[in-house]
């Protein structure tokens, strides 16, 4: 028989038992749709993983004094007690030592952020002060962010909302701060290397500038325009007022190339502004806030992991080195563990749903196998006639199997269509993102094929075994 | 053309061994019209199945055009059934889901004829058995006689060496039965070899040679006139 004839033949038989065929297709379709949707979920999680793995924020590891650090491993149910330890304050010597002992591709730096008032923005009469906000703010992966407020010797984690609600009365809004203050990144040189900050003009400050505390400043692209409009900012003076009220004149030595040309000031109300509005100064150039001790010490050291490193491996190396150097008084904190945990959690959930769907699919397969066996029984005589007319066991086998495969493929097709619907529903109801692309679709079709083989082979084999003489005797 | 040498067929019914055919020798020449007669259980159906390569003998040799087909594989046997034999059954055995035309095309489908060619041929064959006006009818829309005529057309599909008819008139009214026998005689006159298995002596008489079976043995093999006398 020609292949086209076999297909036509299979369609005819399926059409003859239309309702039964429809049920089979529907059953397979439902099972496959769930599996494809779960694969889509996995794919989305994996995509997110590669996205954050390529995000410098996630590739930055922080070292904190163990005394103030509540270990966070991403598990929401585990309460980790504060560890009673002696406080470690990091010095520039620690930075240099770590820089020397860690292998290449790990960038060790200190970054502190502050907002400093500038006469260029505020004018002399400004009343606005925000001397009590400093420290390192960072975006956390949930979308909210936290700012470390130094109100007393203790460090308290607060959310944006809390800050807005409980902000000191002298502050009206973040908008006002941005009108009078410049976001200053106090950094050491590895920060620049790790973040690959390109200059539009001028030069970066050097390690020596950091050591000497030189009053030089590199401006963000938009800040440069804001301050000096069309003039060349290089060599210009930016007056800044420290938290203690001391006024400095910083000399502009460079302008960073535009980073986000698509972001504007609009989200400054959220407490953040594009990096293009900030400036960079040597870590030691500005006098520290009231709360710092006289010694030049820092809360944290950052280590940027370059892309040539596997993040997990790099963290291991860093932990070993940090433990060697600080002897357990310092913790290594990164988003890596919690991110991994979240990821594994969604994978586990997906796996469980997938398991249920698979069990469902297996049950469906067994049911369909039963239906197909019944089909073979009702067609025993037909098989006898087919053999009399020129069929043989191989052709009978392939004809029945083809029928099953066609049902399976239609099921897969329906499953794929349903999976898109399912993805939409899940997105709307539980905000789970699912990305169904070609690989998932191919797996869906493959699964349809496998299922159809599972329920098709045995009945086809039974059909092929039919003895024509016995079959023809059936009235 | 066909030679059976010492063909025996035994099978078991429960624990009882039944000898359906017992060392049968038979030769069939091209163009013959043979009736195989015998009471129930005489082995005539077994004989037909073995002749049509649907069943294998327990022992003995079956030669078709000097080819020992007892030695052939399942696949080769199916090709032989398809090319050399046309079957006609008592209960017509048409596919109910196919039209008359499509039923006739099935053997040609197995012979891998292209669709257009086999449809044309099937139409011609249906016209030849007087069913040219019923090509698009399904079996359940046809009378018994009409269904059997479609079955004859189907048996003729690949221009077979031999037509094997198993009680072809068994389910038909007398006039319809006579019509079927007339068609078979006509086909024989046009050169087709026909073997009819029947227990009806009237039907048997339409053939030219009569073989009588009893207990799996040929007890009589003679031209019709002699057999009657």
């Amino acid at each position: 028989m020609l292949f086209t004839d076999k297909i036509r033949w299979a369609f005819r038989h399926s059409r003859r038992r239309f309702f039964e065929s429809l049920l089979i297709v529907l059953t397979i379709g439902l099972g496959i749709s769930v599996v494809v949707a779960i694969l889509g979920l996995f794919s989305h999680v994996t995509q997110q993983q590669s996205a954050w793995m390529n995000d410098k924020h996630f590739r930055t590891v922080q070292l904190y004094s163990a005394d103030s650090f509540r270990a966070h491993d991403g598990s929401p149910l585990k309460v980790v007690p504060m560890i009673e330890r002696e406080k470690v304050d990091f010095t520039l010597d620690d930075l240099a030592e770590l820089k020397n002992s860690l292998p290449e591709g790990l960038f060790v730096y200190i970054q502190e952020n502050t907002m400093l008032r500038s006469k260029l923005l505020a004018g002399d009469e400004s009343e606005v002060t925000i001397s009590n906000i400093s420290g390192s703010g960072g975006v956390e992966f949930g979308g909210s962010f936290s700012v470390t407020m130094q109100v007393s010797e203790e460090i308290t984690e607060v959310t944006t909302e809390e800050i807005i609600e409980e902000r000191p009365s002298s502050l009206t809004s973040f908008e006002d701060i941005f009108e009078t203050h410049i976001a200053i990144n106090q950094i050491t040189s590895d920060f620049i290397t790790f973040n690959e900050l390109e200059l539009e003009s001028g030069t970066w400050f050097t390690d020596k500038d950091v050591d000497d505390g030189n009053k030089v400043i590199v401006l963000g692209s938009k800040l440069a325009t804001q301050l000096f409009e069309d003039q060349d900012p290089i060599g210009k003076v930016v007056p800044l007022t420290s938290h203690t009220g001391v006024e400095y004149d910083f000399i502009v030595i460079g302008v960073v190339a535009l980073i986000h040309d698509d972001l504007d000031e609009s989200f400054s109300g959220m407490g953040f502004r594009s990096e293009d509005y900030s400036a960079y100064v040597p870590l030691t150039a500005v006098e520290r806030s009231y709360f710092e001790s006289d010694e030049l010490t820092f809360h944290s050291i950052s280590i940027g992991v370059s892309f040539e490193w596997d993040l997990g491996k790099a963290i291991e190396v860093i932990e070993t080195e940090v433990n060697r150097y600080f002897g357990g008084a310092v913790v290594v904190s990164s988003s890596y563990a919690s991110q991994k945990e979240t990821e594994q959690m969604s994978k586990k959930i997906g796996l469980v749903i997938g398991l249920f769907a698979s069990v469902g699919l297996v049950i469906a397969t067994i049911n369909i196998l039963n239906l197909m066996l019944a089909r073979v029984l009702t067609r025993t005589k037909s098989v006898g006639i087919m053999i009399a007319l020129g069929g043989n066991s191989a052709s009978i086998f392939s004809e029945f199997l083809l029928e099953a495969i066609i049902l399976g493929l239609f099921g897969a097709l329906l499953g794929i269509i349903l999976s898109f619907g399912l993805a939409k529903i899940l997105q709307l109801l539980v905000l789970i993102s699912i990305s169904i692309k070609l690989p998932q679709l191919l797996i869906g079709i493959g699964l349809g094929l496998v299922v159809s083989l599972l329920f098709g082979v045995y009945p086809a084999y039974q059909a092929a075994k039919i003895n024509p003489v016995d079959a023809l005797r059936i009235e | 053309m066909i030679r059976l040498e010492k063909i025996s067929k035994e099978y078991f019914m429960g624990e009882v061994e039944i000898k359906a055919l017992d060392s049968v020798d038979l030769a069939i020449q091209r163009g013959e019209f043979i009736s195989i007669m015998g009471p129930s259980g005489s082995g005539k159906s077994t004989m037909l199945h073995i002749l049509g390569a649907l069943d294998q003998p327990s022992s003995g040799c079956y030669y078709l055009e000097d080819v020992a087909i007892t030695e052939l594989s399942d696949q080769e046997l199916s090709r032989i059934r398809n090319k050399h034999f046309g079957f006609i059954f008592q209960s017509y055995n048409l596919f109910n889901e196919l039209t008359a035309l499509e039923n006739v095309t099935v053997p040609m489908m197995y012979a891998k004829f292209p669709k257009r060619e086999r449809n044309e041929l099937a139409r011609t064959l249906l016209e030849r058995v007087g069913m040219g006006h019923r090509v698009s009818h399904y079996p359940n829309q046809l009378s018994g006689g009409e269904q059997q005529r479609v079955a004859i057309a189907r048996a003729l599909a690949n221009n077979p060496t031999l037509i094997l008819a198993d009680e072809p008139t068994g389910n038909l009214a007398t006039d319809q039965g006579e019509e079927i026998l007339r068609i078979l005689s006509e086909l024989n006159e046009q050169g087709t070899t026909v073997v009819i298995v029947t227990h009806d002596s009237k039907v048997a008489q339409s053939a030219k040679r009569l073989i009588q079976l009893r207990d799996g043995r040929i007890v009589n093999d003679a031209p019709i006139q002699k057999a009657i006398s």
Side-chain angles (χ1 to χ4, degrees):
Chain A
M1 226 190 244
L2 294 168
F3 187 65
T4 47
D5 286 331
K6 281 188 183 175
I7 289 182
R8 214 174 287 136
W9 193 263
F11 267 108
R12 223 171 233 285
H13 280 294
S14 297
R15 221 173 46 204
R16 200 164 165 235
R17 292 172 157 261
F18 181 74
F19 188 62
E20 187 185 285
S21 305
L22 191 74
L23 283 181
I24 291 175
V25 167
L26 204 66
T27 313
I28 302 169
L30 284 172
I32 287 180
S33 68
V34 176
V35 175
V36 169
I38 288 162
L39 289 172
L41 175 73
F42 277 147
S43 142
H44 181 76
V45 170
T46 316
Q47 274 171 27
Q48 269 193 329
Q49 177 190 12
S50 61
W52 71 256
M53 278 292 221
N54 287 321
D55 186 324
K56 287 215 162 123
H57 174 72
F58 282 103
R59 297 189 74 89
T60 307
V61 175
Q62 240 87 38
L63 307 188
Y64 293 111
S65 172
D67 80 300
S68 63
F69 187 80
R70 195 189 284 270
H72 177 63
D73 65 353
S75 162
L77 297 177
K78 225 184 277 174
V79 176
V80 184
M82 284 285 211
I83 309 161
E84 292 293 330
R85 281 185 192 282
E86 200 184 328
K87 186 171 170 7
V88 176
D89 285 317
F90 300 104
T91 63
L92 285 178
D93 286 343
D94 294 335
L95 181 77
E97 185 62 37
L98 276 176
K99 245 175 137 164
N100 278 335
S101 55
L102 282 171
E104 241 177 76
L106 301 177
F107 298 96
V108 190
Y109 60 87
I110 294 173
Q111 177 197 9
E112 299 210 330
N113 304 321
T114 187
M115 300 287 288
L116 291 184
R117 202 161 73 92
S118 175
K119 278 191 270 184
L120 277 184
L121 289 173
D124 286 329
E125 305 309 317
S126 173
E127 293 299 317
V128 182
T129 56
I130 53 147
S131 54
N132 55 348
I133 288 189
S134 80
S136 54
V139 178
E140 289 208 336
F141 47 91
S144 68
F145 68 94
S146 63
V147 172
T148 312
M149 278 183 89
Q150 285 182 279
V151 181
S152 66
E153 286 299 321
E154 270 182 359
I155 294 174
T156 326
E157 293 270 311
V158 287
T159 62
T160 329
E161 288 84 346
E162 285 172 273
I163 288 182
I164 291 168
E165 271 174 28
E166 297 171 13
R167 66 183 172 236
S169 56
S170 63
L171 301 181
T172 45
S173 74
F174 282 105
E175 298 274 8
D176 295 337
I177 302 167
F178 285 120
E179 267 174 33
T180 54
H181 287 62
I182 295 173
I184 303 285
N185 293 291
Q186 297 152 276
I187 53 172
T188 60
S189 59
D190 267 15
F191 175 89
I192 302 159
T193 327
F194 176 60
N195 287 295
E196 295 168 303
L197 291 173
E198 303 275 337
L199 286 180
E200 193 178 282
S201 61
T203 55
W204 275 108
F205 39 82
T206 60
D207 281 339
K208 192 170 184 316
D209 290 322
V210 175
D211 290 341
D212 299 348
N214 289 337
K215 307 284 179 284
V216 286
I217 189 164
V218 174
L219 302 177
S221 173
K222 288 184 180 168
L223 180 65
T225 316
Q226 192 185 10
L227 295 178
F228 302 107
E229 290 173 354
D230 294 338
Q231 298 173 47
D232 180 9
I234 307 292
K236 292 265 178 351
V237 170
V238 178
L240 290 174
T241 311
S242 84
H243 301 305
T244 49
V246 182
E247 292 184 4
Y248 301 105
D249 285 339
F250 276 78
I251 295 168
V252 180
I253 57 165
V255 176
V256 181
L258 192 65
I259 299 168
H260 304 289
D261 51 0
D262 51 341
L263 293 181
D264 55 22
E265 300 166 61
S266 59
F267 70 127
S268 62
M270 296 284 292
F272 273 94
R273 250 187 177 187
S274 140
E275 292 138 287
D276 293 313
Y277 283 100
S278 60
Y280 304 85
V281 300
L283 179 69
T284 49
V286 188
E287 195 185 323
R288 321 294 310 288
S289 73
Y290 301 121
F291 314 111
E292 300 293 335
S293 61
D294 291 340
E295 261 182 280
L296 201 55
T297 58
F298 307 91
H299 306 301
S300 79
I301 289 180
S302 302
I303 301 173
V305 179
S306 69
F307 290 110
E308 68 222 40
W309 277 87
D310 171 76
L311 192 50
K313 179 90 184 78
I315 288 171
E316 270 176 41
V317 170
I318 292 167
E319 276 173 346
T320 314
E321 191 50 39
V322 164
N323 279 335
R324 190 190 62 77
Y325 186 72
F326 294 103
V330 164
V331 287
V332 177
S333 159
S334 71
S335 309
Y336 182 74
S338 59
Q339 190 64 27
K340 262 264 177 308
E341 183 94 7
T342 313
E343 214 179 275
Q344 265 160 9
M345 191 64 100
S346 19
K347 279 192 176 168
K348 273 181 204 158
I349 293 169
L351 218 61
V352 170
I353 304 170
L355 205 70
F356 281 125
S358 306
V359 169
L361 209 55
V362 169
I363 294 170
T365 306
I366 294 167
N367 274 326
I368 298 168
L369 189 140
N370 241 331
L371 279 176
M372 295 302 280
L373 268 179
R375 273 193 186 196
V376 171
L377 275 180
T378 58
R379 267 155 61 187
T380 303
K381 183 151 193 178
S382 282
V383 171
I385 304 169
M386 279 155 92
I387 292 175
L389 298 182
N392 54 51
S393 40
S395 69
I396 302 289
F397 181 84
S398 66
E399 280 155 31
F400 273 88
L401 191 62
L402 193 69
E403 216 173 300
I405 288 174
I406 286 175
L407 289 175
L409 287 181
F410 268 95
L413 214 68
L414 180 70
I416 284 166
I417 295 166
L418 289 179
S419 68
F420 280 106
L422 200 63
K424 264 268 162 334
I425 290 171
L426 284 178
Q427 248 152 18
L428 287 175
L429 290 186
V430 278
L431 302 169
I432 291 178
S433 284
I434 289 171
S435 97
I436 299 169
K437 298 224 170 70
L438 192 66
Q440 287 81 44
L441 299 185
L442 289 180
I443 291 174
I445 290 171
L447 202 64
L449 260 177
V450 170
V451 167
S452 62
L453 288 180
L454 282 178
F455 70 68
V457 168
Y458 183 66
Y461 169 72
Q462 288 297 323
K465 262 186 22 184
I466 287 172
N467 179 348
V469 174
D470 295 337
L472 287 169
R473 276 206 193 102
I474 296 169
E475 284 304 319
Chain B
M1 180 181 70
I2 282 176
R3 219 160 10 104
L4 303 186
E5 285 179 2
K6 301 214 177 316
I7 292 285
S8 293
K9 177 73 183 180
E10 294 105 30
Y11 57 88
F12 283 89
M13 235 176 194
E15 293 195 350
V16 187
E17 192 194 48
I18 291 172
K19 210 159 194 146
L21 288 177
D22 186 3
S23 200
V24 171
D25 291 309
L26 176 69
I28 299 172
Q29 302 308 321
R30 198 174 289 279
E32 279 197 285
F33 190 175
I34 300 173
S35 285
I36 299 176
M37 251 191 92
S40 294
S42 59
K44 53 185 193 307
S45 283
T46 307
M47 175 85 115
L48 184 99
H49 290 144
I50 287 177
L51 276 173
L54 281 171
D55 205 355
Q56 289 280 24
S58 309
S59 63
C61 249
Y62 176 3
Y63 295 97
L64 171 71
E65 315 273 24
D66 291 325
V67 176
I69 70 165
T70 31
E71 316 273 304
L72 298 180
S73 70
D74 183 38
Q75 200 139 15
E76 288 164 321
L77 280 176
S78 69
R79 213 166 297 138
I80 284 193
R81 282 194 297 271
N82 181 246
K83 284 222 159 109
H84 291 277
F85 303 127
F87 289 92
I88 299 165
F89 302 96
Q90 181 173 355
S91 50
Y92 333 123
N93 285 351
L94 297 176
F95 295 106
N96 289 325
E97 65 272 24
L98 304 183
T99 63
L101 186 86
E102 286 165 339
N103 262 289
V104 178
T105 62
V106 174
M108 295 185 261
M109 241 158 78
Y110 278 109
K112 296 183 179 171
F113 276 54
K115 195 178 175 193
R116 247 184 62 186
E117 201 175 315
R118 63 179 190 239
N119 280 351
E120 267 170 40
L121 250 160
R123 210 175 283 273
T124 315
L125 288 169
L126 282 168
E127 275 162 14
R128 197 166 150 192
V129 295
M131 289 294 292
H133 59 300
R134 308 284 253 172
V135 285
S136 320
H137 286 65
Y138 286 89
N140 56 15
Q141 298 169 313
L142 301 172
S143 73
E146 286 174 322
Q147 288 190 53
Q148 197 61 301
R149 278 192 273 166
V150 174
I152 293 174
R154 182 177 71 182
L156 291 169
N158 288 337
N159 196 17
T161 317
L162 179 65
I163 285 195
L164 294 158
D166 188 1
E167 302 277 12
T169 60
N171 285 6
L172 298 177
T174 320
D175 54 332
Q176 287 180 334
E178 279 169 2
E179 174 65 14
I180 294 301
L181 290 175
R182 191 190 58 72
I183 294 172
L184 288 176
S185 299
E186 239 176 64
L187 287 172
N188 175 245
E189 273 156 31
Q190 288 160 10
T192 311
T193 315
V194 180
V195 173
I196 298 181
V197 168
T198 183
H199 62 268
D200 184 341
S201 58
K202 261 194 191 161
V203 172
Q205 276 170 33
S206 56
K208 292 174 184 165
R209 176 181 166 191
L210 177 67
I211 295 168
Q212 284 177 300
L213 279 177
R214 191 167 301 144
D215 299 330
R217 287 170 171 274
I218 294 177
V219 291
N220 185 27
D221 180 356
I224 289 288
Q225 265 75 22
K226 269 191 192 170
I228 289 164
S229 67

